[in-house]
Amino acid sequence: MTNQAAAAHATSHRLLPPVGPQRVLALAQLANSVGDGAYYVTSALYFTHVVGLAPTHVGLGLTVAWAVGSLVGVPLGRLADRRGPRGTAALLALATATAVASFLVVRGFVPFVLAACAYASAQSGLAAARQALLAGLVPAGRRTGLLAHLQSTLNAGLAVGAGLGGLALHAGTRAAYSGVFALDATSFLLCAGLLLRLPPVRPVTARRGHRLGVLRDRPYVLVTFLNTVLLLRMPLLSLGVPLWITERTEAPAWLVSALFVLNTGAVMVFQVRMARGVTGLTAATRAIRRSGLVMLASCAVFALSSGASPWVAAGILVAGALLQVVAEMQQSAGSWQLAFDLAPADRMGEYQGFFGAGVTVARTMGPLVLTSLLVGWGTPGWLLLGGLIAGASYAMGPAARSRRVQDPASDPRSDPAAGRGGGVPVTT
């Protein structure tokens, strides 16, 4: 084997987990992330230039859509628990493909909002169903490691898709934009087909007396809230830092793209390694606590770039971005572990749907919070953001310990013979 082939082989093993259900889950993630990457970089211009919507209408429609998506994630996750996560996930992938395809024929604000609500709802439900499917197929001690692989795979797919979307942007034609949406719809069809190749996971028996569902579990609600605060870093590189660079520093504007590539590449290469030691509640809360301190340091470093010369500011911003991505990888690994460890085995889809709603809330509220703090307040805003995230990270430990930790040994889904209704065994 040549050195180049050996390097490529090693890279593939960093991105993809071992052969079996874990590999199929990663390939399904890769399939739809390529389409999503192309969609993300072209959708705004498609909706404004091709569909003819005003930018404010696009923003309003997407806000409404993701608000609806955050509400339906829990009932769709409950559906995955009751009907089986594999079939539910495949159906929701097909629903996502249909919603994306419908964007090709919408011509007006109301049809756009309806299609966007269908898209956001299907995406939210698919995320919850896939988490329940993962919990049913993978032993408890391996879930965080697999999610790290999936995150690396996601970033790789998004990078490829963004490149394809860039070609469509360069062409700038209606046909090019339509091709991107067709690619995204096809990617979800492929995702559905891959999910159906997985072994089935036996549905759980519905229990009475849980009308409010996960909302009755106050410690889990608190953990989800704190995690939502930590996720305010999500719009940082896509909105907060770009506005900071252009409004408050002398750094070149092209640095925005360079920092995004730096973040994506670091997650692809190091996320699996960063998650390797996170295997239980104590390790998870420790990782989140460290991430809060690193994020506070990142915010302080970003603030130093104001008033510096262009290249000094650029160097400071790169240092801040490096700290930020380390904090991101630590926080991700810790939150994945908590999301599974604190959820009851027979309601995994419902709980994952609720926990995942924090992502939607952070994406919805994050732009308002970041623009107010960073652009409006400057350096004090950076320090306040860092302090808020650090405080939430330290509160996570007591919040997680206040809830009874699920014992993996008593979880029937961690036992391949008891947890699945067919398929090949998953060895521990």
Side-chain angles (χ1 to χ4, degrees):
M1 183 181 291
T2 64
N3 290 337
Q4 289 182 338
H9 182 72
T11 300
S12 67
H13 276 270
R14 281 197 298 268
L15 292 178
L16 294 176
V19 174
Q22 298 182 55
R23 175 72 61 89
V24 176
L25 283 167
L27 291 175
Q29 177 78 81
L30 179 63
N32 72 254
S33 63
V34 171
D36 274 346
Y39 169 85
Y40 291 150
V41 300
T42 59
S43 57
L45 292 180
Y46 173 80
F47 293 136
T48 54
H49 293 177
V50 176
V51 179
L53 298 174
T56 53
H57 286 174
V58 173
L60 175 61
L62 293 178
T63 298
V64 170
W66 285 110
V68 171
S70 67
L71 294 176
V72 303
V74 171
L76 288 176
R78 188 180 294 129
L79 178 67
D81 290 332
R82 303 299 181 251
R83 299 297 181 184
R86 186 188 69 167
T88 304
L91 284 174
L92 288 169
L94 292 175
T96 306
T98 303
V100 172
S102 70
F103 284 130
L104 294 172
V105 296
V106 299
R107 295 294 180 269
F109 178 66
V110 174
F112 163 70
V113 173
L114 294 175
C117 286
Y119 173 79
S121 299
Q123 284 272 50
S124 297
L126 176 59
R130 281 209 284 205
Q131 294 290 78
L133 181 59
L134 183 152
L137 294 174
V138 180
R142 298 182 184 178
R143 292 170 187 166
T144 296
L146 175 57
L147 284 166
H149 276 292
L150 295 182
Q151 187 70 13
S152 297
T153 305
L154 171 68
N155 278 32
L158 290 176
V160 173
L164 296 174
L167 296 177
L169 291 175
H170 179 72
T173 64
R174 181 189 185 96
Y177 287 124
S178 298
V180 166
F181 279 72
L183 171 66
D184 196 21
T186 303
S187 74
F188 278 96
L189 292 177
L190 180 58
C191 172
L194 287 167
L195 291 173
L196 289 175
R197 292 179 55 191
L198 290 165
V201 174
R202 187 170 58 199
V204 297
T205 303
R207 295 188 297 174
R208 299 183 182 274
H210 290 284
R211 189 167 298 176
L212 294 178
V214 64
L215 295 177
R216 295 183 59 190
D217 192 338
R218 293 180 182 177
Y220 198 88
V221 171
L222 177 58
V223 167
T224 300
F225 169 75
L226 293 173
N227 190 64
T228 303
V229 174
L230 299 178
L231 290 175
L232 289 176
R233 49 101 182 144
M234 291 185 67
L236 198 60
L237 286 182
S238 61
L239 180 68
V241 170
L243 289 176
W244 174 259
I245 288 176
T246 55
E247 299 290 333
R248 293 277 191 157
T249 79
E250 300 297 324
W254 56 260
L255 191 63
V256 171
S257 177
L259 295 182
F260 185 84
V261 172
L262 173 65
N263 179 275
T264 302
V267 173
M268 284 174 54
V269 176
F270 296 110
Q271 180 66 81
V272 174
R273 187 177 304 173
M274 293 287 286
R276 196 165 290 156
V278 181
T279 56
L281 176 65
T282 301
T285 54
R286 186 186 304 121
I288 291 175
R289 190 164 58 246
R290 285 198 302 263
S291 78
L293 291 177
V294 176
M295 193 65 205
L296 176 59
S298 171
C299 290
V301 171
F302 275 129
L304 293 174
S305 61
S306 179
S309 63
W311 293 109
V312 172
I316 293 173
L317 289 165
V318 169
L322 288 172
L323 290 170
Q324 186 272 332
V325 73
V326 170
E328 173 185 335
M329 291 186 287
Q330 290 177 329
Q331 185 267 326
S332 294
S335 66
W336 294 332
Q337 188 73 34
L338 291 182
F340 283 115
D341 278 5
L342 301 180
D346 61 342
R347 299 165 67 193
M348 193 63 72
E350 176 186 349
Y351 271 62
Q352 297 311 308
F354 181 75
F355 196 82
V359 175
T360 304
V361 173
R363 283 176 173 167
T364 304
M365 299 299 297
L368 176 62
V369 172
L370 292 182
T371 52
S372 299
L373 288 179
L374 306 186
V375 179
W377 291 18
T379 297
W382 275 112
L383 297 179
L384 180 58
L385 175 64
L388 180 66
I389 292 176
S393 72
Y394 267 77
M396 188 67 85
R401 287 190 295 271
S402 69
R403 193 197 187 287
R404 180 178 62 84
V405 181
Q406 179 179 318
D407 179 9
S410 66
D411 180 357
R413 297 191 178 195
S414 67
D415 179 358
R420 289 184 281 114
V424 296
V426 180
T427 57
T428 55

